[in-house]
Amino acid sequence: MRRLQITIFALLISIGSAMAIDNNTVEITYNGENAVVNVADNISSYVSVEVDRSFVKVIQAETVTESAPGEIYYILSGSSDNGSFYLSGSYKCSVTLNGLTLTNPSGPAIDIQNGKRVNLRLENETTNSLTDGAGGDWKGCFVCKGHTEFKGKGTLTVNGKTAHGIWSKEYIEIKNCTINVESALKDGINCNQYFLMESGTVNIIGPSDDGVQVSLKDETPTGETTGHEDEDSGNFYMTGGTLKITGHGGVCIKADGSISYTGGTQDFNTSDIIENAATGIRSALKAQGDDIKAAYDLSGRRLQEGSQQKGIVIVKERGTTKKVIR
């Protein structure tokens, strides 16, 4: 029966490829236990597709030649409670969610193993939802190996049941869209290099660890650069939009670099942050208000009230920060 299913899906891909769609485009439509993939003729030699029920795997050619088609556009729509989208390759790409509801019980709902710039676009006025399974070893519900730029005027809801809600190996930028991270077993959003929110709305609800964590990717940071070109600062920037963080288990924002707000609405406790986390002992450790006594370990994790952890801990009380040896 399984061999027959795979044969049917291969036929669906073949039929889809013959349909007229825009150049450089791959359309993927989920329908319960099925997925139909439609590949534009001009990129058929650069894109390999495997479909097993609603699990779609796209492999782009590894070598980018002068005759290569340039950026490839993926459009995902439909619904499946037992499927996924996996993408790897070497081309800049745009992935548009156009009314997508996708749950993968055994891995990330979207797993992009492409180290280039990835434009993750939420189609205007659409609602989209991603959920992963519990108990795995993957990085998040949404995973991207490259630079991730969230754009568009649609809405994305993320439910992370194994690790982070959204994880990017490189920077994250957010413009215009609405992102709701409704659950995360670790951080709501976790990325490297830097985080930049320019506009839109982000709601992070009840992550078990930090709301947003920004880490350095390499051992030698660049610091802030003009236009953030090739930047690896570990910085958090907010220049516009609305960021709301509630019910977190760690801190609201934790950054290996600095944290700055030059615009937008910070709908969270802006004292509940950790800057310069990469320096070991935090140079700007902040608790939830100057009058509240709080203790942290040397990794910046807040200790539970009454904890008897031995060794060196950082204690913040009434505006004073000190090391205590227990």
Side-chain angles (χ1 to χ4, degrees):
M1 180 64 181
R2 183 175 176 81
R3 182 185 299 273
L4 177 59
Q5 285 180 327
I6 295 174
T7 302
I8 292 172
F9 294 130
L11 178 60
L12 289 172
I13 294 171
S14 176
I15 293 172
S17 299
M19 296 172 62
I21 62 173
D22 293 337
N23 282 345
N24 290 30
T25 301
V26 178
E27 294 180 349
I28 301 169
T29 304
Y30 294 88
N31 184 12
E33 289 294 313
N34 302 328
V36 178
V37 181
N38 187 8
V39 181
D41 289 339
N42 78 307
I43 57 172
S44 59
S45 61
Y46 296 94
V47 174
S48 173
V49 180
E50 300 176 12
V51 180
D52 181 2
R53 296 168 296 166
S54 280
F55 294 87
V56 178
K57 186 174 185 179
V58 179
I59 311 296
Q60 298 173 332
E62 287 296 327
T63 303
V64 180
T65 64
E66 290 184 2
S67 60
E71 185 165 358
I72 297 178
Y73 301 90
Y74 298 88
I75 302 174
L76 282 58
S77 62
S79 176
S80 175
D81 60 5
N82 190 31
S84 67
F85 174 70
Y86 174 94
L87 171 67
S88 69
S90 301
Y91 296 94
K92 289 183 178 180
C93 66
S94 177
V95 178
T96 295
L97 307 188
N98 186 17
L100 175 71
T101 300
L102 190 59
T103 297
N104 182 3
S106 56
I110 292 181
D111 187 358
I112 301 175
Q113 293 298 311
N114 182 337
K116 299 295 184 179
R117 189 272 292 142
V118 176
N119 183 346
L120 198 288
R121 182 173 179 273
L122 306 178
E123 183 63 38
N124 295 353
E125 299 183 1
T126 65
T127 57
N128 306 273
S129 176
L130 303 175
T131 305
D132 65 347
D137 58 359
W138 47 90
K139 296 285 189 179
C141 178
F142 172 91
V143 169
C144 184
K145 184 181 178 182
H147 321 306
T148 312
E149 299 180 1
F150 289 91
K151 300 179 179 179
K153 293 185 178 180
T155 299
L156 172 63
T157 297
V158 176
N159 288 282
K161 298 183 179 298
T162 279
H164 309 301
I166 293 173
W167 180 84
S168 180
K169 189 176 182 180
E170 297 179 341
Y171 68 72
I172 284 179
E173 294 184 356
I174 297 175
K175 300 178 183 178
N176 297 323
C177 55
T178 298
I179 298 175
N180 301 312
V181 180
E182 293 191 344
S183 63
L185 201 62
K186 292 185 178 180
D187 302 326
I189 298 176
N190 183 292
C191 67
N192 295 312
Q193 293 186 330
Y194 67 88
F195 174 95
L196 170 61
M197 183 169 179
E198 295 186 88
S199 57
T201 300
V202 175
N203 299 303
I204 300 176
I205 304 167
S208 296
D209 204 343
D210 304 321
V212 178
Q213 180 171 334
V214 191
S215 304
L216 292 168
K217 181 182 177 184
D218 299 315
E219 293 183 1
T220 304
T222 64
E224 184 176 356
T225 63
T226 302
H228 306 295
E229 186 70 23
D230 298 322
E231 179 175 333
D232 184 16
S233 63
N235 289 349
F236 172 100
Y237 306 98
M238 185 173 180
T239 63
T242 299
L243 174 59
K244 183 175 183 178
I245 303 172
T246 58
H248 52 286
V251 295
C252 288
I253 300 171
K254 181 179 178 181
D256 280 357
S258 63
I259 297 171
S260 66
Y261 322 112
T262 57
T265 300
Q266 294 80 48
D267 191 0
F268 57 90
N269 187 341
T270 54
S271 294
D272 188 20
I273 63 175
I274 297 176
E275 294 180 286
N276 303 310
T279 61
I281 297 175
R282 311 318 184 208
S283 62
L285 185 62
K286 300 180 182 180
Q288 295 181 2
D290 286 342
D291 294 331
I292 297 175
K293 183 175 181 179
Y296 296 78
D297 65 18
L298 293 182
S299 295
R301 292 184 292 265
R302 186 169 181 170
L303 304 178
Q304 291 185 353
E305 186 174 353
S307 170
Q308 300 301 312
Q309 178 169 315
K310 302 298 183 182
I312 299 175
V313 298
I314 307 298
V315 176
K316 177 72 179 284
E317 184 177 18
R318 297 185 176 89
T320 301
T321 301
K322 61 184 178 180
K323 289 188 293 183
V324 176
I325 300 176
R326 293 177 172 177

